[in-house]
Amino acid sequence: MAESSSIATRVLDALVAAGSVTADQVATARSGSFDDAMAGRALLERELIGQEQLSIVLEEELGFPRVDLESYAPDEEALALVPGHVARTRGILPLFEIEGTLTVAIGTPGDVFVLDSVGDEIGLGMDAVLAARADVDAAVMQNFGVSADAAPGALVVDELEISAADFFELGDDTPVVLEVPGEDDSPGASSITQTVEEVVEAVAPAGAPTVDLDVLAVADERKLAVLVSDILEQAVQRGASRIHLLPYKSDFFLVFRIKGRLEKVASAPLSMQLPLIDGFKAYTRLGGVGSSQPALGRVHAEIAGKAVVLTLSSVPTVAGQRLVVSISARRPQPQALCDIGMSDAECRALCAMVERGRGLMLVAGPMGGGRSTTYYALLQHAAQVGKTVYSVERSIDFEIPAVAQVFVTPGQSVGAANYFAAGMRQDTDVMAIDSLQSVEDAHLAIEAAGMGKLVIATFAGGDIVSAVRRLLDLGAEPVSLASALTLGVGQRVVRTNCPNCSIEERAPLADTIPGAESGMTTRRGTGCTNCGKTGFVGSAVVYEVLPFTEPVRAVISCGGSGAEIEAAARAAGMRPMIASGLAMVREGRVSPSELDRVLRFAQ
């Protein structure tokens, strides 16, 4: 997909990386599912993973913290963003919203698989913390009440109350209850509910610009292009996060999602929908994709004076084509290589490798560990020093004009390995692949390194050593892998203390950090309104960088164990992540308990 990977996709990848399920089991679940959220639920239903097992992966691999809700006071603004029936049926408690991302508490680890659909419903990014089920249920009841039809003491509303997204995928005439926040809604107040008929028959708000879809009856290419531009401009001006073309009965409806609310803009006979869909596809460079196939595309545009990224998704349904255009602000260029938090020596090593090196540079970290930040910084630096760069990516966080970026979407017939193999014949200095996921990917990366190219690859692993060991377990040939590896980067993300509420303390835990001096004064966030009572604002990355010297390669070529590779790496002078983390603790940016949560140094 074009935007950052969905939460469900990240969880599935983390489960495979942690060894909780096999890649084949995930592939089987995906083959019988509409999306990764459904695949995740299928793994739970088949008991291939358990809730406790999932909880461990969410905490340790993805960094979802476990919290006590008694220390949290949900923001009223956050509560207003989620309709009551969504909070009740999905079992989520909104806590706070920061820069377009809503953090919610979930009481059952499996509820993580509903977050993507909730985010689509309300038009926000989603993040989560884990809490006790009983505490989440009680807090949801306290803040949202219960359904009018619910039995005394019940929390979950009637099963017929489902989301608009569920209805529009079905494409039938089943009446659905939509619940959207009104202008004067307050948390805890009874939510406004509308049937689908009320939504599609609603009159546009007074004073709102109108869109004349009747022009589709006689539209040529020029008029169609003007109509698409007008719709996009109006959507951006009104602050819409999504544009929907929704088939319903004999008509289709142009709908904007504005601040989580679905708002009908115009409608026309269903027979006139195809030209408009073709117009949107042409705008996003998908003109060659037929109406019987799913389509996914991404394009930068300047609309209404704003630089935006448009992501189009079109899916054929039994009722007609359903098209959704997501609108997001254009992200700035990636950080410079020496601004991502490495030491000066580590930064110089990476710069030298990009500028003059060959072989395989492996960037290792858990899912959500910031690997993409390092990946894009490396690509940008390579382009800036005059290298030709070819990159295969499963999600595009940044677009770098001087880099040939290939976007591989899920389910397409040509996979990442095929595109990488094609790129090896493109006369490029630097080959890159964001996320090695199969032995075929690994073999191609090793082959490209053997051709004298610099290969930059990311791979899921807690650190460099575990990533190398996992590549061997995946099926990489030990001697070939050892000869290809030249530099490794390991990294983890830690949450940084809130500057408003952090206090000095002498924590006994600090004395147990390897290399720490006794009695060191540290800082810890206590929780305030600025940080949503969490004690944390922002994040930082702890790094380790390992040059693969001949002694280290010798251990890898023999298929050495993780402990043997670790010993060789330390003998080669690798600065471990704990040393990077200790420096942040000394500066007061990170608390000892947070560093321990990520690196597990305490016995």
Side-chain angles (χ1 to χ4, degrees), residues 275-305:
L276 185 55
I277 288 180
D278 289 343
F280 273 105
K281 286 182 178 179
Y283 193 97
T284 51
R285 303 169 190 167
L286 289 172
V289 181
S291 60
S292 62
Q293 297 177 318
L296 181 64
R298 184 176 190 267
V299 68
H300 280 186
E302 190 83 20
I303 301 174

Side-chain angles (χ1 to χ4, degrees), residues 183-237:
E183 295 294 330
D184 300 321
D185 286 350
S186 58
S190 49
S191 302
I192 298 174
T193 58
Q194 296 173 296
T195 65
V196 169
E197 284 81 359
E198 289 172 336
V199 172
V200 298
E201 293 175 7
V203 178
T210 59
V211 174
D212 182 13
L213 296 181
D214 291 340
V215 69
L216 292 171
V218 292
D220 55 23
E221 288 188 8
R222 186 186 64 81
K223 291 180 179 178
L224 197 58
V226 171
L227 177 60
V228 170
S229 297
D230 288 345
I231 293 173
L232 291 170
E233 184 170 356
Q234 184 181 143
V236 171
Q237 288 174 340

Side-chain angles (χ1 to χ4, degrees), residues 150-514:
L155 174 67
V156 180
V157 298
D158 189 285
E159 291 293 334
L160 291 178
E161 190 171 342
I162 61 177
S163 71
D166 293 332
F167 166 77
F168 288 126
E169 290 298 342
L170 292 171
D172 59 17
D173 297 337
T174 305
V176 178
V177 179
L178 282 174
E179 190 169 359
V180 292
E183 295 294 330
D184 300 321
D185 286 350
S186 58
S190 49
S191 302
I192 298 174
T193 58
Q194 296 173 296
T195 65
V196 169
E197 284 81 359
E198 289 172 336
V199 172
V200 298
E201 293 175 7
V203 178
T210 59
V211 174
D212 182 13
L213 296 181
D214 291 340
V215 69
L216 292 171
V218 292
D220 55 23
E221 288 188 8
R222 186 186 64 81
K223 291 180 179 178
L224 197 58
V226 171
L227 177 60
V228 170
S229 297
D230 288 345
I231 293 173
L232 291 170
E233 184 170 356
Q234 184 181 143
V236 171
Q237 288 174 340
R238 297 181 62 187
S241 60
R242 304 284 192 279
I243 299 171
H244 297 253
L245 295 185
L246 304 173
Y248 179 68
K249 295 184 178 179
S250 59
D251 295 325
F252 79 94
F253 294 84
L254 173 63
V255 178
F256 289 170
R257 185 176 291 281
I258 302 174
K259 296 182 179 179
R261 182 188 182 101
L262 286 173
E263 186 175 294
K264 192 197 85 169
V265 177
S267 63
L270 190 58
S271 59
M272 296 165 58
Q273 184 193 31
L274 184 58
L276 185 55
I277 288 180
D278 289 343
F280 273 105
K281 286 182 178 179
Y283 193 97
T284 51
R285 303 169 190 167
L286 289 172
V289 181
S291 60
S292 62
Q293 297 177 318
L296 181 64
R298 184 176 190 267
V299 68
H300 280 186
E302 190 83 20
I303 301 174
K306 297 181 180 179
V308 298
V309 177
L310 304 177
T311 303
L312 178 144
S313 173
S314 176
V315 178
T317 71
V318 294
Q321 285 196 75
R322 181 186 184 216
L323 181 141
V324 178
V325 179
S326 300
I327 305 171
S328 59
R330 185 180 301 178
R331 300 188 67 180
Q333 288 296 301
Q335 290 177 281
L337 191 54
C338 289
D339 292 338
I340 59 177
M342 293 183 172
S343 69
D344 290 342
E346 291 166 340
C347 179
R348 286 196 298 269
L350 263 68
C351 287
M353 178 58 64
V354 170
E355 293 164 13
R356 300 185 296 276
R358 296 179 179 180
L360 176 58
M361 180 189 296
L362 188 65
V363 180
M367 300 304 299
R371 289 176 296 167
S372 291
T373 299
T374 305
Y375 181 81
Y376 283 107
L378 290 167
L379 298 190
Q380 178 169 258
H381 186 71
Q384 288 174 340
V385 297
K387 301 287 185 180
T388 55
V389 186
Y390 179 95
S391 171
V392 177
E393 304 170 31
R394 291 179 171 87
S395 66
I396 297 181
D397 295 339
F398 298 95
E399 289 190 22
I400 306 174
V403 175
Q405 294 173 268
V406 178
F407 174 42
V408 182
T409 60
Q412 69 182 49
S413 57
V414 180
N418 301 86
Y419 279 117
F420 191 85
M424 292 166 63
R425 294 158 180 81
Q426 286 284 304
D427 189 27
T428 56
D429 301 315
V430 179
M431 296 287 300
I433 179 169
D434 192 9
S435 185
L436 296 173
Q437 293 187 356
S438 68
V439 67
E440 185 179 9
D441 293 346
H443 285 163
L444 285 169
I446 293 170
E447 181 183 347
M451 294 169 62
K453 298 180 183 293
L454 173 63
V455 179
I456 301 171
T458 67
F459 189 59
D463 50 38
I464 298 172
V465 170
S466 63
V468 172
R469 187 57 253 179
R470 284 195 62 243
L471 278 172
L472 293 171
D473 294 338
L474 188 66
E477 201 281 317
V479 174
S480 299
L481 177 62
S483 62
L485 287 168
T486 52
L487 191 71
V489 179
Q491 59 186 85
R492 296 281 191 96
V493 170
V494 293
R495 295 171 295 176
T496 51
N497 293 325
C498 172
N500 282 6
C501 63
S502 64
I503 58 172
E504 281 193 357
E505 63 177 11
R506 293 200 174 188
L509 183 62
D511 295 338
T512 66
I513 303 175

Side-chain angles (χ1 to χ4, degrees), residues 79-101:
L79 293 169
L81 291 171
V82 178
H85 82 279
V86 173
R88 292 189 295 264
T89 56
R90 304 302 181 92
I92 63 172
L93 175 68
L95 296 176
F96 54 90
E97 182 268 333
I98 299 177
E99 296 182 353
T101 298

